[in-house]
Amino acid sequence: MSKFVVQPIDRLEGEISVSGAKNAVLPLMAAVLLTDKPCVIHNVPNLKDVNVMIEILKVIGAKVEIKGNSLSIHVPEIMSNEAPYQYVSQMRSSFDVMGPLLARTGVARVPMPGGCAIGERPIDLHIKGFKALGAEVEFGHGFVEARAKKLVGANIYLDFPSVGATKNIMMAATMAEGVTIIENAAREPEITDLANFLRKIGAKITGVGTDTIKVTGVSEFSGTEHITMSDRIEAGTFLIMSAMHNSNVLVKNVVESHLKPVIAKLRECGVQVETEGDDVRVISSGKLKAVDITTLPYPGFPTDLQAPFMSLLTIAEGQSVIMETVFENRFTHVPELNRMGANIKIEGHSAVIKGSTKLQGADVRATDLRAGAAMVLAALVADCETSIHDIYHIDRGYYNLEEKLKGLGVEIKRIQD
Ligand code: UD1
């Protein structure tokens, strides 16, 4: 186990770059299972979750080569229809392989992803979609097994615009006979990125980015090259971090349109945020006003930036309320922030934050990936050194974080606990 030891910093100035998106690259890698032709994915962040997905793909039959930030993946033959428990238990997004495996071979066996740090996270909507396409789905011995002699297009209405279910059903439907319509589909940019990749290998998909996606089945796919979209959550984390300081920071490789609600809230707090081509500049005095936030599916405020924004609101002037509507239990960072002197109360699905706190350096835990990022942001404005334990969570989603922060003058050390 490692920890970060972080020193506070007064002013942030310089440039920081955003890497390829974790939440886009994982489904892209799973989607390669659809084709027996080689594919190359570029702008791949070297993250723990990416390595877990590589191991799963290798067991299934993929030949994987890593060259810098590019991954060549070739799955000439499916050697196993089963994703191994040892990897799936480490990463919920392993469930992304279910749809493509089912489409390509008619059989997919994947361990139940189980709960995780941010709540129960069911898979009922994925299963509903597979069944609608004609698969028989069974649960037993900790596995979900889907089988279908032939998948047939269907109309599927999602009770909630789940990102995971939309991706999985879209991938399964690419080879189904006829037309599939997914209604109340998720509209996240990572789904658009996946659909762009699928189109390049030959899938027929329209309506991505809207709540109705239409997939017309095809029987064969080619290979392709694809550049992973830039990580909007990493970008948002850096924008929020910059706003918390007296700063002038250029965050590079940002798709500004992916971050509209976050940028709007930063401006409401009194921060200057300007787009400069593919980059976004944040100029802040570090003196911030309280704002209220409600997390929502895209294009609403992203739940993944709820924890980092809460760190910001602890130092803003006034009282803020954050309502979390996407996940059941996503306030595990609250007790950690309170250990640093924050004044946050949880009331049902809301957190009430009394601002103007001078946070205190302390020993705290990264309770999940984004909660971990929130602790780093809090540590940078604390009165003295903070140790953040359990940073394996942070390593799942922030590529090269220490080096990137050091580029802004931050003193951060990784220490074996
Ligand atoms: C993805 C992201 C995650 C982000 C989340 C919401 C990846 C790897 N992860 O997670 O970072 O926080 O989107 O933007 O891309 N639900 C059901 N039944 C299902 C599936 C989901 O009830 O079958 C519920 C979940 O419990 C949750 C909500 O739907 O309350 C959203 O989940 P979903 O959009 O599926 O998130 P993930 O794809 O798991």
Side-chain angles (χ1 to χ4, degrees):
M1 293 284 195
S2 299
K3 65 177 179 185
F4 278 148
V5 176
V6 184
Q7 306 299 332
I9 188 165
D10 283 334
R11 179 161 169 83
L12 282 185
E13 195 158 10
E15 295 183 356
I16 188 163
S17 280
V18 176
S19 301
K22 168 182 93 72
N23 287 354
V25 80
L26 297 172
L28 288 173
M29 292 168 71
V32 176
L33 292 173
L34 285 165
T35 174
D36 60 3
K37 309 289 186 314
C39 294
V40 183
I41 306 173
H42 301 288
N43 199 26
V44 176
N46 183 5
L47 296 168
K48 192 170 156 252
D49 278 9
V50 169
N51 291 316
V52 172
M53 186 60 98
I54 290 176
E55 294 309 317
I56 293 173
L57 295 183
K58 281 185 181 165
V59 171
I60 293 174
K63 295 173 182 149
V64 184
E65 244 185 277
I66 308 169
K67 281 188 202 140
N69 289 340
S70 299
L71 272 185
S72 305
I73 309 176
H74 186 198
V75 197
E77 233 184 305
I78 300 290
M79 309 299 282
S80 165
N81 294 70
E82 187 174 308
Y85 174 76
Q86 68 184 108
Y87 300 121
V88 177
S89 58
Q90 291 179 43
M91 183 180 78
R92 203 190 130 81
S93 354
S94 330
F95 205 67
D96 287 351
V97 302
M98 191 104 195
L101 262 185
L102 178 64
R104 179 152 164 194
T105 67
V107 185
R109 235 173 96 76
V110 180
M112 303 269 290
C116 75
I118 57 175
E120 198 190 332
R121 300 184 86 171
I123 47 164
D124 55 318
L125 299 172
H126 302 237
I127 304 303
K128 181 175 162 179
F130 297 148
K131 283 186 174 167
L133 294 172
E136 278 178 23
V137 183
E138 282 179 9
F139 298 87
H141 305 282
F143 275 84
V144 188
E145 183 171 313
R147 285 183 176 270
K149 285 212 175 69
K150 184 171 81 170
L151 292 175
V152 180
N155 275 28
I156 299 160
Y157 178 86
L158 298 179
D159 301 332
F160 184 89
S162 152
V163 177
T166 303
K167 289 183 297 194
N168 238 335
I169 298 167
M170 187 166 78
M171 289 191 278
T174 53
M175 293 185 100
E177 187 183 285
V179 174
T180 298
I181 308 277
I182 309 170
E183 283 181 282
N184 200 24
R187 297 160 63 184
E188 269 68 2
E190 292 78 9
I191 290 175
T192 307
D193 203 33
L194 173 62
N196 289 340
F197 171 86
L198 293 170
R199 283 199 203 105
K200 285 191 206 168
I201 63 169
K204 290 194 177 148
I205 304 174
T206 55
V208 279
T210 76
D211 62 3
T212 306
I213 296 177
K214 180 177 166 189
V215 186
T216 306
V218 298
S219 54
E220 223 188 325
F221 289 116
S222 60
T224 193
E225 295 203 17
H226 186 81
I227 302 172
T228 313
M229 63 175 268
S230 116
D231 195 317
R232 67 192 167 99
I233 305 303
E234 187 192 19
T237 305
F238 293 156
L239 298 182
I240 296 164
M241 173 182 77
S242 307
M244 291 169 73
H245 297 263
N246 174 352
S247 63
N248 183 339
V249 175
L250 190 67
V251 184
K252 296 181 70 90
N253 312 326
V254 183
V255 182
E256 185 253 7
S257 61
H258 290 170
L259 282 159
K260 282 192 175 152
V262 181
I263 291 174
K265 284 294 162 186
L266 288 174
R267 287 187 178 136
E268 243 183 83
C269 289
V271 181
Q272 198 180 326
V273 186
E274 305 299 341
T275 304
E276 297 181 6
D278 293 336
D279 309 329
V280 172
R281 184 175 297 281
V282 177
I283 300 174
S284 176
S285 63
K287 291 188 176 45
L288 305 164
K289 286 181 266 187
V291 296
D292 293 338
I293 287 174
T294 301
T295 66
L296 286 168
Y298 191 84
F301 190 98
T303 171
D304 285 350
L305 288 173
Q306 179 256 105
F309 217 103
M310 195 179 297
S311 292
L312 178 149
L313 293 175
T314 64
I315 61 166
E317 196 180 310
Q319 178 172 297
S320 310
V321 179
I322 295 186
M323 195 195 289
E324 172 60 60
T325 74
V326 179
F327 284 106
E328 275 293 310
N329 173 24
R330 208 171 192 179
F331 285 139
T332 56
H333 44 288
V334 168
E336 301 302 312
L337 287 172
N338 282 346
R339 300 193 72 250
M340 295 179 74
N343 183 346
I344 308 168
K345 287 202 175 69
I346 300 173
E347 292 176 4
H349 290 287
S350 296
V352 181
I353 304 123
K354 290 214 168 89
S356 302
T357 304
K358 181 67 207 169
L359 294 173
Q360 300 156 13
D363 275 77
V364 291
R365 282 178 57 227
T367 48
D368 70 41
L369 166 56
R370 307 304 171 186
M375 300 324 296
V376 174
L377 270 45
L380 291 173
V381 293
D383 61 350
C384 63
E385 176 177 295
T386 293
S387 290
I388 304 168
H389 300 262
D390 294 349
I391 57 169
Y392 63 91
H393 285 296
I394 301 177
D395 291 338
R396 287 189 39 226
Y398 289 90
Y399 174 51
N400 224 357
L401 184 65
E402 297 112 282
E403 292 313 312
K404 289 187 183 186
L405 294 185
K406 281 177 189 164
L408 290 178
V410 168
E411 268 186 67
I412 177 168
K413 276 197 201 122
R414 178 182 292 260
I415 291 176
Q416 202 71 22
D417 243 348

